[in-house]
Amino acid sequence: DTGVSQNPRHKITKRGQNVTFRCDPISEHNRLYWYRQTLGQGPEFLTYFQNEAQLEKSRLLSDRFSAERPKGSFSTLEIQRTEQGDSAMYLCASSDRDRGTEAFFGQGTRLTVV
Amino acid sequence: AQSVSQHNHHVILSEAASLELGCNYSYGGTVNLFWYVQYPGQHLQLLLKYFSGDPLVKGIKGFEAEFIKSKFSFNLRKPSVQWSDTAEYFCAVTDYSSASKIIFGSGTRLSIRP
């Protein structure tokens, strides 16, 4: 399968712990996006990268959230000092900026903070 | 700022009925428009997209959408739905010139009665 891969698929953590998610985009895709989705809502934009450069961060993204994309390949999203309100599905998507803007999504990582 | 409105939160239809899901966006510039579908337990998949040209675009599984620039709308249609169309449908928009972040609507849940 050469689609977008996210790990882990599920994560249960205690409040206050740090968590890190990984996203492997479709190879050669230069854009990578992170979204958060809660039940009954559409994907909510968090941040995106063009190669290794982080181009935009949502104002909704508190300083507890950080994302990286070293070398412009895979990306990680870290949440520090998790809160119950962080419980959601975290989605990663990638696209080829030079061939069009449609994004291809991964299966997501479901985070539950207890 | 860009935004997307989907006015129908939950639509219930019988098989063979015709479908139209509304989508309005707010953005003054040139846009790229998308409809994504999320089947139960699966990841987001692209149904169709509009970049330029013919405002009537056809997608997979018999879906089509019409871009009406004067109305800032991109409604999704299907002449005859099937039980397998039961899913959540999301309209999305991005700025054509900068191809920046993709903004999603809150989604419409479609339930098809067999």
Side-chain angles (χ1 to χ4, degrees):
Chain A
D1 188 342
T2 57
V4 178
S5 176
Q6 291 189 245
N7 288 288
R9 293 288 306 278
H10 304 273
K11 178 71 177 178
I12 299 174
T13 190
K14 291 184 178 180
R15 190 175 53 184
Q17 297 294 303
N18 299 343
V19 294
T20 300
F21 309 141
R22 177 179 171 123
C23 172
D24 288 273
I26 293 172
S27 60
E28 300 174 359
H29 274 190
N30 44 32
R31 282 276 170 98
L32 187 147
Y33 307 83
W34 284 101
Y35 288 84
R36 179 171 62 191
Q37 187 177 24
T38 53
L39 197 62
Q41 297 297 315
E44 178 183 48
F45 171 77
L46 295 179
T47 187
Y48 83 101
F49 294 83
Q50 172 78 23
N51 299 313
E52 66 275 8
Q54 189 172 19
L55 297 188
E56 188 171 347
K57 286 177 61 173
S58 167
R59 283 172 288 179
L60 300 172
L61 211 61
S62 76
D63 57 6
R64 297 185 297 106
F65 288 72
S66 62
E68 293 182 340
R69 193 185 183 195
K71 303 178 184 178
S73 55
F74 72 92
S75 175
T76 58
L77 177 68
E78 181 183 16
I79 309 174
Q80 296 182 325
R81 305 181 302 282
T82 53
E83 302 172 355
Q84 285 190 321
D86 297 332
S87 295
M89 178 74 85
Y90 289 84
L91 302 172
C92 178
S94 68
S95 69
D96 184 340
R97 169 68 178 92
D98 302 319
R99 292 191 177 187
T101 58
E102 69 192 83
F104 295 82
F105 281 81
Q107 295 273 23
T109 294
R110 181 170 296 284
L111 173 66
T112 302
V113 182
V114 298
Chain B
Q2 300 169 25
S3 67
V4 179
S5 296
Q6 293 183 245
H7 306 294
N8 311 107
H9 297 294
H10 188 193
V11 173
I12 303 173
L13 295 173
S14 298
E15 277 195 310
S18 64
L19 169 72
E20 181 160 2
L21 301 183
C23 171
N24 289 92
Y25 66 93
S26 66
Y27 182 68
T30 304
V31 294
N32 291 341
L33 295 158
F34 311 89
W35 275 97
Y36 281 83
V37 61
Q38 191 169 30
Y39 297 104
Q42 296 190 25
H43 63 283
L44 280 160
Q45 302 170 43
L46 183 70
L47 259 186
L48 48 78
K49 61 186 178 185
Y50 172 80
F51 284 178
S52 63
D54 189 344
L56 184 63
V57 293
K58 295 191 183 300
I60 60 172
K61 303 187 180 187
F63 286 91
E64 64 179 31
E66 185 175 13
F67 170 51
I68 303 180
K69 188 175 180 180
S70 61
K71 295 185 178 180
F72 297 90
S73 70
F74 190 55
N75 292 354
L76 181 70
R77 300 194 292 248
K78 185 171 184 179
S80 176
V81 295
Q82 301 172 309
W83 179 80
S84 58
D85 293 325
T86 295
E88 189 110 22
Y89 292 81
F90 297 94
C91 182
V93 63
T94 190
D95 180 326
Y96 172 80
S97 58
S98 65
S100 61
K101 61 183 182 284
I102 302 172
I103 301 299
F104 285 82
S106 57
T108 296
R109 183 155 65 100
L110 177 64
S111 300
I112 305 298
R113 290 189 291 249

